[in-house]
């Protein structure tokens, strides 16, 4: 069984083909980074136009990479939310048009479910697992209980962790997306402990019982730190120290939230094979990965992060989520609508300010 997956919810145009033997036959990802870089973030209108410009070429390239044609495809899955409305429309229209013209089933995939189910594509991870989804748009703690069954235990009340990296990096003069730049320059910091002490950044939500995150105060603290540095061009060693302090602070907050969630997960689910999965673009960060691995090993829990190229946005995860749903008979009508806001756990307690992030 071959599923064609289409992803266009943010700034990556992607098409992939995945089969039921967990083989990724193709996964073409076209990043729009260069088109957005000058603006220091993703511009929705530019993103939508770029998706429309490239979608057909990318789908054709995926079929050609896989060495198959549309007649070998059994179902089409498109990201249908959450995300930027223009991009979602482009990806859904492409998927629906192909499904309609070929008489194939269509599957409307939640982008977050794509991230959530990736570890079942790349490894044999069993439900229920604890999932830390940390990207540019989301920072959530969930329990994946089954396909379409998620419990959201925590979310960010304001910015996502990746957004915090990006905006703080921008204040330090680093290019977008600043997460990887911050990690790179932080390696130049000679004394991480001294850097942490020097800037004294706050650790929002650390120690709180509820499992939410907040990063906007940290962003403000970084702005004040930058303003307190000598006027003019920032010195490279100052940027390295501040980047290191910021990265360690974010890793520490995430570890604290994850520790509480892990203890609750072990207690409530008593899973046979306890697993914590880290996914989303920010999971590329080594400081965060290492601190979570440490946490898991001290609790006898398996830590798992999908390969980096499948942590960021891509259509293989959409094709796979589509395949898991298709196998359960979960297909969608051709008039299903894009959903810019689409929480994985619609019953999750509302958090002030967090609704926008789904
Ligand atoms: O999941 P993703 O590719 O896109 C979505 O936001 O859905 O995540 C992109 C985010 C950006 O904010 C980027 O700065 C961050 O992931 N990121 C990192 C690293 N690599 C990517 N943040 C910190 N350290 C990294 N090494
Ligand atoms: Zn994503």
């Amino acid at each position: 069984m071959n599923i064609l997956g289409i992803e266009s919810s943010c700034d990556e145009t992607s098409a992939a083909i995945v089969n039921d033997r967990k083989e990724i036959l193709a996964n073409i990802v076209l990043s729009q980074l260069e088109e957005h870089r000058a603006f220091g973030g993703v511009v929705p209108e530019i993103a939508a136009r770029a998706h429309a410009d490239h979608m057909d070429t990318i789908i054709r390239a995926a079929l050609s990479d896989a060495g198959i044609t549309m007649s070998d495809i059994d179902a089409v899955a498109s990201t249908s939310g959450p995300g930027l409305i223009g991009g979602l429309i482009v990806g859904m229209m492409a998927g629906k048009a192909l499904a309609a013209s070929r008489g194939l089933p269509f599957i409307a995939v939640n982008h977050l479910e794509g991230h959530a189910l990736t570890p079942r594509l790349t490894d044999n991870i069993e439900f229920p697992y604890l999932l830390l989804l940390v990207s540019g748009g989301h920072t959530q703690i969930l329990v994946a209980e089954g396909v379409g069954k998620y419990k959201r235990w925590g979310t960010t009340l304001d910015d996502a962790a990746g957004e915090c990296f990006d905006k703080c990096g921008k204040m330090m003069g680093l290019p977008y997306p600043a997460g990887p730049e911050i990690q790179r320059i932080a390696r130049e910091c000679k004394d991480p402990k001294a850097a942490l002490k020097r800037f004294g950044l706050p650790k929002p939500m650390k120690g709180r019982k509820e499992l939410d995150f907040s990063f906007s105060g940290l962003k403000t603290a970084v702005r004040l730190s930058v303003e307190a540095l000598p006027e003019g061009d920032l010195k490279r060693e100052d940027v390295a120290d501040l980047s290191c302090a910021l990265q360690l602070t974010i890793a520490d907050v995430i570890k604290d939230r994850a520790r509480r969630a892990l203890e609750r997960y072990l207690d409530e689910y008593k899973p046979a094979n306890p697993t914590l999965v880290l996914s989303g673009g920010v999971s590329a960060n080594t400081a965060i990965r290492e601190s979570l691995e440490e946490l898991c090993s001290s609790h006898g829990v398996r830590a798992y992060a999908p390969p980096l190229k499948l942590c960021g946005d891509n259509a293989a995860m959409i094709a796979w989520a589509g395949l898991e749903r298709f196998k359960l008979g979960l297909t969608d009508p051709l008039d299903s609508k894009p959903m810019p806001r689409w929480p994985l756990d619609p019953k999750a307690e509302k958090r002030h300010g967090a609704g926008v992030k789904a």
Side-chain angles (χ1 to χ4, degrees), residues 111 115 135-137 162-163 165-166 177-180 183 280-282 284-285 311-313:
H111 177 87
H115 282 300
S135 72
E163 213 172 335
F165 271 115
D166 294 339
Q183 167 161 322
V282 180
N285 189 279
C311 279
D313 291 349

Side-chain angles (χ1 to χ4, degrees), residues 92-209:
M92 285 186 83
M93 288 307 288
K96 286 176 183 178
L98 285 169
S101 64
R102 293 272 162 181
L104 296 173
F106 173 74
I107 305 136
V109 171
N110 183 314
H111 177 87
L112 301 176
E113 181 156 52
H115 282 300
L117 296 178
T118 301
R120 291 167 52 79
L121 163 66
T122 55
D123 212 307
N124 294 319
I125 306 286
E126 287 163 24
F127 298 119
Y129 51 91
L130 187 66
L131 172 70
L132 219 67
L133 183 56
V134 194
S135 72
H138 302 277
T139 303
Q140 303 192 346
I141 299 180
L142 302 135
V143 181
E145 294 182 338
V147 174
K149 272 186 80 184
Y150 302 90
K151 289 267 154 56
R152 195 193 74 196
W153 280 353
T155 186
T156 179
L157 305 179
D158 38 62
D159 290 351
E163 213 172 335
C164 179
F165 271 115
D166 294 339
K167 289 180 178 164
C168 291
K170 192 173 174 186
M171 294 172 207
M172 292 187 263
L174 300 173
Y176 174 83
E181 300 290 331
I182 287 179
Q183 167 161 322
R184 212 166 293 133
I185 198 162
R187 287 195 199 109
E188 294 175 23
C189 170
K190 292 194 184 75
D191 188 345
K193 273 200 187 127
L196 273 172
K197 217 162 143 203
R198 175 179 176 198
F199 294 104
L201 298 175
K203 294 183 173 163
M205 307 301 280
K206 187 171 175 183
R208 293 273 286 266
K209 209 162 79 267

Side-chain angles (χ1 to χ4, degrees), residues 45-67:
E45 182 59 28
I46 293 178
R49 283 169 193 268
H51 287 305
D53 282 348
H54 301 297
M55 188 54 83
D56 53 347
T57 322
I58 295 294
I59 294 173
R60 249 188 236 116
L63 288 165
S64 139
D65 237 31

Side-chain angles (χ1 to χ4, degrees), residues 227-245:
E227 283 169 10
L229 290 170
E231 267 191 59
D233 286 346
L234 297 180
K235 282 207 290 196
R236 194 165 171 96
E237 54 261 46
D238 288 337
V239 176
D241 279 4
L242 187 50
S243 293
C244 182

